[in-house]
Amino acid sequence: MSVTQIPDIDQAFGLLRVMHRIRAFEQCATRLMAQGVLEGFLHVSIGQEAVAAGVCSVLERNDLMTTSHRGHGHCIAKGARIPAMMAELFGRSGGYCGGRSGSMHIADAEVGILGANAIVGAGIPIAAGGALASQVRGTGQVAVCFFGDGAVAEGVFHETLNISALWSLPVVFVCENNQYAEMTPSQVHLATTVVAEYARPYGLPSVTVDGNDVLAVRAAAEEAVHRARGGLGPSLVECLTYRWHGHFEGDSQRYRDKAEVAEWMLKDPIEHLAAWILSRDHRLQERIALTRLEAVEEVEQAVAWASALPVPGPEALLADVYAEDLLSEPELAVPTTGTGGGRG
């Protein structure tokens, strides 16, 4: 392992902190949705936090990222502001999109988030476009694309892998294989259920890792990012994981067995890392607990701030339609609590 180094305790706590922030945000959002406070659709990644934390921990602040409809975790791990994300879920004016798009369209150019996307597979070519821009401009940025196994059967996945390999683009494709495309098991919609195999005909290096082991994810991501940044082209990392909740909040989940869910919940990525930390120093139990409490408090503060904001008026329908609006509109001050993003 010429590139990857096993994290020290402080680095491990950095990863744990990110995973706790993701889970606290999504658990809060699911509770608010169940209470009728939030409207619309909500897709959470509870149980998959290790993928976002592990991959984004080896990215620089200006590296580029795209994600899917299940993208809260990726955005938080990359450095998105939790108050602005929460305000978007509340449909308030301080949200990333002015409260007009909901959770599936978070974007923040300041930290390289090119956008979440509700269309399956749509972020894949956008990431390749970002990688091409980096290559042409010589900025040294790497683009990372998060997508699920449901996107693998889309034509755009194969088209983008082909052109990325042909042009040796600095892009890393990260598949969160959580076993289901909406309500369809992967063996029903994929001829080959090992997603890493799909990269090989295009000449891309690929690897399959335990997506619930944040250290394994981090190691694979670091190799892939190092390769891309060094001008050696794209690669694919398949992370085997599982979402504890349904495809969306309110999903009856009749397509999977409760025992299967319970079995995967025993593989909790947060508990897995906590156990790793305690195996190095058993005296750190209190620090682990404090990390979780700090994440919960941060999210609660974001809820208080977001819920007090005004709902955008009818005039907001025409805002940001033209480029000059983006250049002239004043930016609303958003709290910058938490660490988030970049290495650590």
Side-chain angles (χ1 to χ4, degrees), residues 105-128:
H105 299 91
I106 302 299
D108 188 341
E110 290 186 2
V111 291
I113 301 173
L114 300 181
N117 204 305
I119 301 172
V120 174
I124 298 174
I126 296 174

Side-chain angles (χ1 to χ4, degrees), residues 25 28-33 35-42 72 82-104 106 299-312:
F25 180 91
C28 178
T30 59
R31 183 178 69 252
L32 294 174
M33 176 70 74
Q35 294 171 350
V37 176
L38 300 182
E39 299 180 359
F41 278 93
L42 184 69
H72 304 137
I82 284 181
M85 288 181 62
M86 189 61 74
E88 191 60 42
L89 267 63
F90 268 87
R92 303 301 172 90
S93 58
Y96 267 112
C97 298
R100 295 173 297 175
S101 72
S103 71
M104 291 186 279
I106 302 299
V299 171
E300 290 177 348
Q301 290 175 353
V303 169
W305 179 81
S307 61
L309 293 172
V311 174

